[in-house]
Every structure is written in C-alpha cells, then in structure tokens.
Amino acid sequence: MTTPLRGGPLLLGVRHHGPGSARAVRAALDAASPRVVLIEGPPEGDALVSLAADPQMRPPVALLAHAVDDPGRAAFWPLAEFSPEWVALRWALTHDAPVRFIDLSATHSLAFKDDSEEGDGDGNEAGPDGAPGPGDRERALRIDPLAVLAEAAGYDDAERWWEDVVEHRGGTDGDDPFAPFAAVGEAMGALREEYGDGGHRRDLVREAYMRLQLRAARKEFGDDQVAVVCGAWHVPALGAGSTATADRALLKGLPKVKSEMTWVPWTHHRLARHSGYGAGIDSPGWYGHLFGAPDRPVTRWMTKVAGLLREEDRPVSSAHVIEGVRLAETLATMRGRPLAGLTETTDAIRAVMCDGSDVPLALIRDRLIVGDVLGEVPDSAPAVPLQRDLTRLQRSLRLKPEALEREVDLDLRKETDAGRSRLLHRLRLLAIGWGEPAAGRGSTGTFRETWRLRWEPELYVRVAEAGVWGTTVLSAATAKAESQAVSATALSEVTALAEQCLLAELTDALPVVMKALADRAALDADVGHLAQALPALARSLRYGDVRSTDTAALGEVAAGLAERICVGLPPACAALDADGAAEMRAHLDGVHTAIGLLPATPDSPAGDLSGRWAAVLRKLAARDTVPGVIRGRATRLLLDDGRLPEDEAARLMGLALSPGAPPADAAAWIEGFVGGTSGGGMLLVHDERLLALVDTWLTGVPAGSFTDVLPLLRRTFSAYEPGVRRTLGELVRRGPAGGGARPDRAEAGIPGFGAAVDETRADAVLPVLRLLLGDPDPDPDPDPDHDHRIDHDNDLAGVAR
C-alpha cells in the first residue's frame, strides 16, 4: 500500500478531537485498507473495543481507568464523534480489522505520581496537535507546536491557522489522501529537531512502549499492512531508529497499580479547554457540526443558531440567517480566509441576530459552540456493582442523568418523588454530587424539595470511590454514615449526620448515629455548640414526620439540648465583644426557631420548652450586662410571639435609647430589634410609637458619635425592601404633629393604614388559610376568652419553616 513513509507503516499524526484530522484519517484508511489499526490509548482498552460497535454506544464517551485499591486515582481517555481515534476505531470494526491500543498501559500510567486526572498519562492530554500539553512544571516550559507553526505562517491565532490549513480543506490534498500526514510528520520532525523532544521521562517511556507495540504488529502483519493513529507530536519518535533493547531498558522497573477499565459517557462541556482538560478544544459543538455537516456548514450553523434564539423568544427570521451568512462570508474574504470560520460566524451572529449584544452570545456559546451533549454507553459495559445499582435506580425512578443543569421539584407525598429524594440524599452522603438542594419556588413545606441536577463524567469516579462502602446505594450510604458517626468529634457534625440519615431514610444507621449523638451531647458543655446543633435536630424531627420515621430518641436528645441551652445561655451572653455578640445573636435566632418546632409535652425532660425559653428571652432582654444586639433581638422575639405587650416593648426600647445610653449600644439594640429580614421594617411602619422612639433617638445623637453609629444603622436599614424604606422615609418626612405626636395615618388617608387592627376581619381569613394549608377544622365553639392568634401564628410559622 502507498504510505507517507516509504516501505514502512502508515503513520497518521493527528490532532486529538480535530474533525479535519478525523476526515483525513477516514480517507487515508479507505485508501490504504490496512490489516491492523494501532491507536494511541491504553492497552487495557483492547478488551472493550467491540462495545464501540454496540447500537447503544453514542459518543462522546471515554475510557475510564481507576486503581482498584484507590478508585480516586483515575484517568480518562475521551473520544468524540469527530475524534480521529474514534473514526479509526469505527473504521476497523466495520472492516473487520484488528484494533490495538499501543500507549503505555493504565497499570503504569496511573502509578506515575505526576499524573493528573486528565493528564498526558491518560493518553489524551496532548495539545492541539498531539504534543504534550500543560500539566506539571516541566510541561509548562514546552512549546506549543501549533503556535509555532501558526506564527511561521503569519498567523497570530493557532486555532484560526489550524482551521484554515486543515478543517477547511476537507481533510485531503488533491487526490493524495496521505499528503496531509506527510506534511504534518515533516513539520513535527523539524520542530522536535529544533526544540528537542521535551525529555520528560514519562513521555519517553510512552513513546518507547508505542515503538515496541509497533514492532510487534509489523512483525505479525507486515510493514505495509499497519496503520498507526497517534498525536502528531509522536510521529517522529515512532519513525526513529531506536532499538528494541533500548526501549525495553526504558520500561524496566516502572511502578504498577492494579487497575480496572470501562467505557463511561462523556460530555462536550468536558471536552472544552476551559474545563481544564489538557487536550481540550475551544468549541466542541462547532467541531461536531463541521464534522457532521455534509455541505454548506456556515448556512447550516446559522440555521441552528436561529432555531436556538427562536426557542428563547428572540425575533429571528430567515432573513437574519441569509444576511448572517453573507456577512460571515464577506468577513472571511476581507480577512483572507478560505472559508468563514467560527470567528467570522460569531461576529456575524453578534451583528445580525443579537443587535450587537454579547448576552445572547453567551447562550449560543454554552448551548451550541461548546454544547451540552451527553454520550451513552451500552448496558454490557463493565461497571462496579454500586454503579449498576445506581443505574437501576435512575431508571426505575425515571431520573435520567443529563449534562445540562436543570431543576427538579419533588412532592414527597408521592412515592416516586420520595424515592428520588432518598436517592439524591444518599448520593450526597456518599459525596456523589449529582444534585444540590435549591430553594423551592412554590412551597416551603416539608413535603416539598427542589434539587438542581447536573451529571458530570467525574461522578463515575466518585461512584467507584464510594464502592468501598457497599455494593448498593443503600448499603454504601448506611456503612459510610455509621463510620462517620463513630469518627466525628464535633457535636454539630453528628447532628448534621443525623439530619442526613433521616433525609436519606437510613434506618439501619440511625441507632449508631443516635448513640454517638447522645454521647457527644453529654460531653459538650459549650452553649454555642449546643445552640448550633439544636436547629438540625429540630428540622430532623419534622423530616421524620413527613417520612413516617420514628424519631422518639431524637426528640429526647433535642429536648435535653434545649434545656441545657436554656440554663447556660444567659451567663454565656454576658460580656461579649461585637463579634461574639453577633455570633450569639445568630444562635439565638436558630434556637428560637428550633424550639418552636419541638414538641412541648409535659412528660419531656425539658417540660414546657416554649415557656422556659420565653423566660430566658425575658432575662436577656432585661439584663444590662447583655450586649445591645442580643437584648434587642430577645425583645423582638418576645414581641413576635405575643409574649410581650406592645407597651412593654416600647418601654424597653425607650430605656435602650435613653440619652444616657451610649450611642453605639443603642444602635446595636436597634439592629437586634428591627434588623435582618424578619419584618423589622414593617414593624416600624405600622407602630408609630416605636418609629417615633427611633426617630427621636436618632435626631438626638451627638454629632461626634453619629459617624460611629452610622455604619451599624446603614447595615440595619439597608436590608429592608425598597418599598418599606420609601414608606419609612415618607413617614419621617411628615414629622410629628404640633403636640409632638404623629398624626393618625388612617385619618391622614395614608394607604394601607387603619385606625386599629380589626380582629373580626382578620379572623375571617383563617378558614381559607386552613383550607390552603390542609389544617383540620378547629373547635367549632372555641373559648372566646382564649387568644387564638398566638396558636395560629405558631402553626403558620411552623408550616412556613
């Protein structure tokens, strides 16, 4: 057969993931019809070659190798539809030609300490033309062959030069399909002669191994019956005159690890250079389009872009497509390019379809230029038992892995959604980050969950790592939870783990976790740690309710923690600095919310928790030794719960804002009372006495002290909604009436204000509210002397949380 190297094997130097190289490889193989095809890749992949012909196999895919004893030590060899290696692999299978991978085996490459997860050791870390890409310090000093060749040709952009000389040439040079490879091999030989071969031992070892495999194939099939597809940088090394003895000497004593290999789906996003992949390309989606378009690639690309923009409700017509194609071709002519490339088409799209804006271009880049394609592998591909169980669960729950990020809303009252929730929580415990909880838009009830899902190829490595805990998702999550419970040292770690176990319904792990929780809680005397742990326990009790889980033991621990907090919190709040006071205020909010969720039964160790907690808040609100931010917050929490009359709240505010109080302490009290996002602004809007107190204090702050309290006040009031700030400004601008009191806002005709609260009208809302929330009907003849507003407020607050 005719070859670029007379009397030798057919050496096809390629650019990894280059559609022009892929077309050229296919043309060369069709012309040469070799008896065997050798491909740069790990020899362990030979046993998996036949799967590439399976109808279920859809690129992009990757060979994944991992160390058996250390699954986190893994490497990928990605292949896209437009990768020359994939084209060669498919050609060989179609023509019944043997395929062999000839790069250094994964057994050795995984053992090199300088291997990266996607490095040259994984076979495809090479740069744009197959040269070693960046990885360690030595690689960083090497040249980029494409950049050198582009500069020699007068180009300042290596990507643009490669498109002009390869991608836009159709992959052939006249009638000779081997001419491009002869030219590439000659260029790489000149570069290696000028700049050297890099000298990195791993690369020298790889090339020695490839030469040995090439010699064996030549001996078996004949010199002119062997085709080699490898990175262009390696072509001169494979044709060099090194001896077999010298090559074997380089391979002597290489480190080894026991490894396993399989096919896994890959994504266009992970092929992109910005993802950190060493052999990455800037535009996988664009290259896939160039490889798949039978003709008029620019016109077809513009049509794709127009379709995407229409889906996003942008007004794009066929006239835009025609004008965009004309502009791209004109730009290519003006720039001296044979055809319009990605740069010209993008410039034309920006001008014609995006009105000069880069905002729609970001969408086009993400969805088309890079792309969100996720490959598929057949079910018969080897996999660890945990991966097979996960795949089974994904199918039974109809939760398909996708490369594009999406949100999923779950209703835990439905069996399928509850199963999805269990699976996602178990995977999170196993550090398999397929999904992350997100804030739901429709409901804040415990029976609702919202997840943000995105499947990345690296998760297959995480699954392999988690396989040490068990062969199923349930058994692995249970074993890991039990191990974490035993090894955890902080109380907050165990409470968070208990919450995870309840969310994931790991009933077998709960006894171990609960024992560890009780032990840690008994030994921890830090009130801050206890306060930090209680909210998670309270949330866990509610999760147990919605998931029908027995949480009696958890309730006892939570009640015990609450009582210890009630005893230890007042002395812990004395003599705190500003940072300590701010931290304790956050604990105060968390404990208050948690105690509102805990069941208050007379037989519990803590007795009436809500009553005991209210007494603690009264102590904090009245003690002068407690920082102002905590005193103000305690006062506000009592007022919100209806346990503090409005007159008493006004009295406490008056004391805190008295002329004798230091301005900084008074500002801190205000921050605690009306700060944050808990409706403090609306409280001032509707309670003119409190607003007047704040207004009077603020106007009386001495000029010398005003600059000290301004940052605190600004932080407090800037958290309010714009409408609330505007209303407060209008009220303050009107000022008090002549007698010092503010005018009645109802009489003044200010919208939204009445003379007083109309309790009859307010109570009329409750039946509709119960219907919406699914609450049972209350006693039809309630006690008229009982203030039901507190009960309703607590119920609604619990549901909202």
Side-chain angles (χ1 to χ4, degrees):
M1 71 185 183
T2 305
T3 66
L5 301 177
R6 294 185 299 273
L10 178 63
L11 300 179
L12 305 178
V14 300
R15 177 191 188 183
H16 297 303
H17 316 308
S21 289
R23 287 192 299 267
V25 164
R26 184 164 54 194
L29 293 177
D30 284 338
S33 296
R35 292 176 57 194
V36 63
V37 177
L38 309 182
I39 300 175
E40 180 185 332
E44 291 90 343
D46 291 351
L48 305 174
V49 163
S50 61
L51 292 173
D54 193 294
Q56 281 187 284
M57 182 75 87
R58 184 172 65 86
V61 292
L63 286 168
L64 164 62
H66 66 85
V68 174
D69 297 331
D70 182 13
R73 192 166 186 81
F76 297 94
W77 288 261
L79 297 172
E81 184 180 14
F82 50 84
S83 298
E85 298 88 348
W86 178 260
V87 170
L89 178 60
R90 292 286 299 166
W91 185 93
L93 292 173
T94 302
H95 292 79
D96 294 326
V99 179
R100 295 177 183 175
F101 289 106
I102 61 170
D103 202 352
L104 190 65
S105 65
T107 296
H108 297 305
S109 62
L110 288 175
F112 276 101
K113 293 184 178 181
D114 61 346
D115 274 353
S116 62
E117 184 179 351
E118 293 170 18
D120 205 7
D122 62 37
N124 266 348
E125 186 221 25
D129 60 341
D136 55 27
R137 184 175 180 275
E138 289 188 57
R139 291 195 197 96
L141 299 176
R142 298 178 184 177
I143 64 166
D144 179 357
L146 263 192
V148 175
L149 294 175
E151 183 180 359
Y155 284 74
D156 57 1
D157 186 340
E159 286 286 329
R160 189 157 57 88
W161 172 79
W162 182 263
E163 281 194 352
D164 287 352
V165 300
V166 176
E167 307 303 340
H168 294 161
R169 288 176 54 259
T172 62
D173 186 6
D175 295 329
D176 187 356
F178 308 118
F181 300 105
V184 169
E186 183 179 352
M188 294 300 155
L191 287 174
R192 291 186 70 137
E193 183 178 348
E194 176 70 20
Y195 295 99
D197 57 10
H200 192 271
R201 180 172 181 268
R202 187 177 60 180
D203 296 328
L204 298 177
V205 166
R206 291 178 59 216
E207 291 172 346
Y209 192 89
M210 285 191 273
R211 285 193 294 267
L212 289 175
Q213 300 305 306
L214 177 57
R215 289 191 187 97
R218 292 169 66 180
K219 182 177 181 180
E220 181 178 355
F221 295 96
D223 283 351
D224 59 351
Q225 296 297 322
V226 179
V228 181
V229 179
C230 65
W233 181 259
H234 302 303
V235 169
L238 297 186
S242 176
T243 64
T245 302
D247 289 340
R248 291 192 185 96
L250 280 174
L251 298 174
K252 187 176 181 180
L254 289 180
K256 292 183 179 182
V257 294
K258 187 178 180 181
S259 64
E260 293 181 348
M261 179 168 286
T262 185
W263 288 105
V264 297
W266 202 252
T267 67
H268 275 182
H269 179 267
R270 293 300 292 130
L271 282 172
R273 192 188 308 278
H274 66 79
S275 70
Y277 172 42
I281 52 180
D282 292 330
S283 47
W286 166 253
Y287 274 11
H289 170 78
L290 288 181
F291 184 74
D295 56 9
R296 296 181 296 172
V298 175
T299 302
R300 295 178 183 275
W301 180 256
M302 290 290 184
T303 304
K304 280 185 179 181
V305 172
L308 173 62
L309 294 177
R310 288 194 193 107
E311 291 175 0
E312 299 298 323
D313 296 328
R314 292 189 65 87
V316 179
S317 66
S318 56
H320 288 87
V321 175
I322 295 171
E323 187 60 30
V325 172
R326 288 175 177 172
L327 179 56
E329 293 174 346
T330 301
L331 289 173
T333 301
M334 294 175 62
R335 295 169 180 175
R337 306 194 66 182
L339 286 175
L342 181 59
T343 303
E344 287 70 35
T345 57
T346 301
D347 290 344
I349 290 166
R350 180 191 289 108
V352 176
M353 299 184 186
C354 301
D355 299 324
S357 173
D358 286 335
V359 175
L361 280 180
L363 174 69
I364 295 169
R365 172 171 178 76
D366 187 57
R367 300 279 290 276
L368 291 181
I369 296 177
V370 174
D372 53 14
V373 178
L374 175 64
E376 295 181 6
V377 300
D379 298 335
S380 54
V384 296
L386 182 61
Q387 178 64 62
R388 293 196 178 280
D389 185 61
L390 175 56
T391 302
R392 178 186 63 81
L393 291 171
Q394 288 170 334
R395 289 177 178 171
S396 64
L397 296 172
R398 300 188 297 278
L399 203 58
K400 183 179 179 181
E402 294 179 357
L404 186 64
E405 184 177 286
R406 65 188 178 106
E407 282 194 357
V408 176
D409 293 317
L410 303 180
D411 184 344
L412 302 184
R413 297 170 297 185
K414 299 178 180 178
E415 184 177 352
T416 299
D417 282 1
R420 292 172 175 173
S421 173
R422 286 193 296 269
L423 174 62
L424 293 172
H425 280 296
R426 290 170 183 174
L427 292 179
R428 287 197 79 213
L429 196 148
L430 290 170
I432 302 172
W434 179 19
E436 290 293 331
R441 296 185 296 270
S443 172
T444 56
T446 54
F447 58 86
R448 294 282 186 185
E449 283 185 354
T450 300
W451 289 82
R452 188 175 292 111
L453 304 181
R454 181 169 186 165
W455 186 267
E456 295 284 1
E458 290 83 354
L459 294 180
Y460 290 103
V461 179
R462 302 291 174 263
V463 174
E465 287 181 298
V468 301
W469 297 106
T471 58
T472 67
V473 175
L474 175 58
S475 64
T478 299
K480 186 173 183 181
E482 292 174 347
S483 176
Q484 287 183 335
V486 173
S487 61
T489 57
L491 178 61
S492 58
E493 295 179 17
V494 188
T495 54
L497 182 60
E499 184 177 10
Q500 284 183 296
C501 288
L502 286 168
L503 289 168
E505 292 192 22
L506 302 178
T507 54
D508 291 342
L510 271 177
V512 179
V513 175
M514 292 308 305
K515 183 180 184 303
L517 178 59
D519 293 343
R520 301 298 187 281
L523 296 175
D524 201 326
D526 190 306
V527 174
H529 293 168
L530 300 179
Q532 189 177 8
L534 184 61
L537 295 183
R539 290 193 303 267
S540 300
L541 289 172
R542 300 184 70 223
Y543 297 144
D545 292 341
V546 76
R547 290 170 171 80
S548 301
T549 305
D550 184 10
T551 57
L554 191 64
E556 293 179 2
V557 175
L561 283 183
E563 181 168 359
R564 293 174 61 190
I565 292 171
C566 289
V567 173
L569 190 61
C573 289
L576 293 174
D577 59 12
D579 292 338
E583 183 179 357
M584 193 60 72
R585 175 201 165 175
H587 290 327
L588 198 69
D589 285 340
V591 172
H592 182 76
T593 301
I595 288 181
L597 299 176
L598 293 177
T601 60
D603 297 333
S604 66
D608 184 5
L609 289 177
S610 60
R612 292 175 62 84
W613 177 244
V616 172
L617 293 177
R618 291 191 186 95
K619 289 180 182 178
L620 295 176
R623 286 187 178 179
D624 293 337
T625 56
V626 173
V629 67
I630 297 177
R631 285 187 285 120
R633 194 61 186 161
T635 303
R636 174 63 188 282
L637 294 176
L638 289 169
L639 181 63
D640 287 348
D641 278 358
R643 295 180 180 272
L644 186 69
E646 295 180 359
D647 291 342
E648 179 64 13
R651 186 186 72 83
L652 290 174
M653 177 179 279
L655 291 174
L657 305 183
S658 64
D665 291 347
W669 196 96
I670 292 175
E671 182 187 19
F673 187 78
V674 297
T677 57
S678 55
M682 292 303 297
L683 184 67
L684 293 180
V685 166
H686 288 280
D687 194 321
E688 60 186 55
R689 293 174 302 169
L690 298 182
L691 179 59
L693 286 170
V694 175
D695 188 22
T696 302
W697 170 80
L698 185 58
T699 55
V701 173
S705 303
F706 186 77
T707 55
D708 295 332
V709 302
L710 181 60
L712 223 116
L713 295 174
R714 181 179 181 86
R715 183 176 63 198
T716 299
F717 290 97
S718 63
Y720 295 164
E721 294 289 338
V724 173
R725 294 200 302 267
R726 183 171 57 252
T727 303
L728 286 174
E730 292 174 353
L731 293 174
V732 172
R733 180 171 55 84
R734 290 189 179 92
R742 294 181 178 275
D744 185 270
R745 286 170 279 184
E747 296 177 0
I750 301 176
F753 292 94
V757 177
D758 189 337
E759 296 188 7
T760 302
R761 294 181 63 189
D763 289 341
V765 179
L766 296 178
V768 178
L769 210 52
R770 291 192 199 95
L771 183 62
L772 292 174
L773 298 175
D775 288 348
D777 290 335
D779 185 354
D781 185 21
D783 181 3
D785 297 329
H786 179 67
D787 188 354
H788 295 278
R789 288 176 296 168
I790 298 176
D791 295 340
H792 296 320
D793 288 344
N794 288 337
D795 290 343
L796 297 180
V799 173
R801 295 188 187 102

